[in-house]
Amino acid sequence: MEPVSVENLSIVYRSRDFLVVNKHWDVRIDSKAWCETLTLQKQLRHRFPELADPGTYYGFSGALCVALNKAAAGSAYRCFKERRVTKAYLALVRGHVQESRMTISYSIGQSGAEGRTHTMCIEGTPGCVNPKPSITELVVLEHGLYAGDPVSKVLLQPLTGRTHQLRVHCSALGHPIVGDLTYGRAAGQEAQPFRMMLHALYLRVPTPAECVEACTPDPFLPTVDACWSPHTLVHPLDQLIQALRDAPVGRGPGPSSPAPNLPGLGQPPPPPPKPPETEAQRALCLQWLAEWTLEPEN
């Protein structure tokens, strides 16, 4: 794999208002730690000194959308809020998933268990706090081996946006994501993977001004990682991506045209309605929109 550097920022979509980059798996989006010599923020500042990115942490690779002005940021925010954004992820998960397609609907809440601070869990887990309805669609792409252990390559589409949703749902199925040390196996049994095998593959944000659409390369190939050895094809990835591209998504101002689900699954349970936005939430959003641009470094 090409070593990451401040110069080799991979751009997969660019317009006047938006930029979509293919984030390297081994780079944090942002960090204040002294030991972090390279972050996506530094890559963006090197290439586009006027840009900033949200202060979240890494854990996956793939498509990450950056708004280039406040109006674009507000437009994208409304698309996410109204569930008109289409997102699809690739993952390698432990074991051979027997059902080729499924809808995962475990409610997810914060774990109140001792030693599990800042982690999530499914409803019914002892200490689960405030579980909320959560829906993920899963399609099996391939079965194979990773470093000799059985794994499945899957395409995941979150229809809700809970914290760690894909990782928690895969773990709840008994098929944790390879390399996930929080929701997967003990660290001693995860010495082989060099990263968590979760990758943001496809993104579509249908703003009124433009439809932002990007698809990143598949990183889970034997030519990229020799530990991964697929042996059984279940569903071709290119056909699923094309179906997502072809699916109509409304660009109107309301939530009447939700993002399409993965084809062939029928109609899953509708995503639960979001509670009305509170004044505090709206004020926080407006503050973020007003302050999202970083001041240039001296």
Side-chain angles (χ1 to χ4, degrees):
M1 298 181 67
E2 182 183 3
V4 64
S5 70
V6 72
E7 289 87 8
N8 65 351
L9 178 66
S10 175
I11 299 172
V12 294
Y13 179 94
R14 184 178 180 182
S15 70
R16 183 184 64 181
D17 292 331
F18 292 97
L19 185 72
V20 180
V21 300
N22 185 13
K23 188 183 82 68
H24 192 278
W25 63 269
D26 197 27
V27 174
R28 289 183 185 269
I29 295 175
D30 191 10
S31 176
K32 296 181 180 179
W34 65 269
C35 58
E36 294 292 342
T37 59
L38 180 63
T39 64
L40 178 61
Q41 182 184 29
K42 291 181 180 178
Q43 288 182 310
L44 287 167
R45 279 185 149 172
H46 178 78
R47 185 80 169 267
F48 307 98
E50 72 278 13
L51 299 185
D53 65 289
T56 55
Y57 290 96
Y58 80 117
F60 58 90
S61 63
L64 187 146
C65 185
V66 180
L68 303 184
N69 53 68
K70 293 178 183 179
S75 181
Y77 166 77
R78 286 188 290 274
C79 285
F80 278 94
K81 179 183 175 183
E82 295 164 359
R83 294 199 179 97
R84 291 188 286 115
V85 174
T86 304
K87 297 181 289 182
Y89 295 74
L90 288 177
L92 296 182
V93 300
R94 293 287 179 188
H96 289 162
V97 182
Q98 295 304 306
E99 295 185 51
S100 64
R101 298 171 179 260
M102 66 178 72
T103 298
I104 312 167
S105 56
Y106 296 110
S107 294
I108 295 176
Q110 188 167 1
S111 176
E114 184 177 357
R116 300 290 292 180
T117 307
H118 307 305
T119 64
M120 311 302 287
C121 57
I122 62 170
E123 187 173 21
T125 304
C128 187
V129 178
N130 192 26
K132 298 179 180 179
S134 310
I135 301 175
T136 300
E137 293 186 3
L138 178 151
V139 177
V140 177
L141 301 172
E142 294 176 293
H143 289 151
L145 300 174
Y146 191 87
D149 294 329
V151 299
S152 302
K153 182 176 177 178
V154 299
L155 186 66
L156 301 166
Q157 186 182 8
L159 298 187
T160 51
R162 310 304 179 204
T163 302
H164 297 176
Q165 176 174 319
L166 300 182
R167 300 165 63 186
V168 173
H169 272 173
C170 288
S171 179
L173 287 179
H175 298 285
I177 294 173
V178 175
D180 186 349
L181 304 186
T182 301
Y183 301 103
R185 296 180 179 179
Q189 301 180 52
E190 286 281 19
Q192 185 65 42
F194 57 92
R195 57 163 292 187
M196 182 169 65
M197 302 301 180
L198 179 62
H199 174 79
L201 176 75
Y202 178 82
L203 175 68
R204 178 161 64 176
V205 186
T207 71
E210 66 179 293
C211 183
V212 179
E213 185 177 40
C215 188
T216 59
D218 178 1
F220 304 139
L221 302 171
T223 53
V224 177
D225 185 355
C227 291
W228 163 233
S229 177
H231 57 62
T232 303
L233 177 66
V234 181
H235 290 106
L237 176 59
D238 57 349
Q239 292 183 11
L240 293 173
I241 294 174
Q242 189 59 49
L244 286 173
R245 290 186 185 276
D246 293 341
V249 176
R251 300 191 187 187
S256 58
S257 301
N261 59 290
L262 291 171
L265 283 173
Q267 293 299 319
K274 284 191 173 181
E277 187 176 43
T278 65
E279 287 299 322
Q281 290 172 327
R282 179 171 177 78
L284 185 63
C285 173
L286 292 175
Q287 180 184 2
W288 173 76
L289 290 176
E291 299 178 353
W292 74 279
T293 303
L294 288 180
E295 293 296 330
E297 291 182 334
N298 295 327

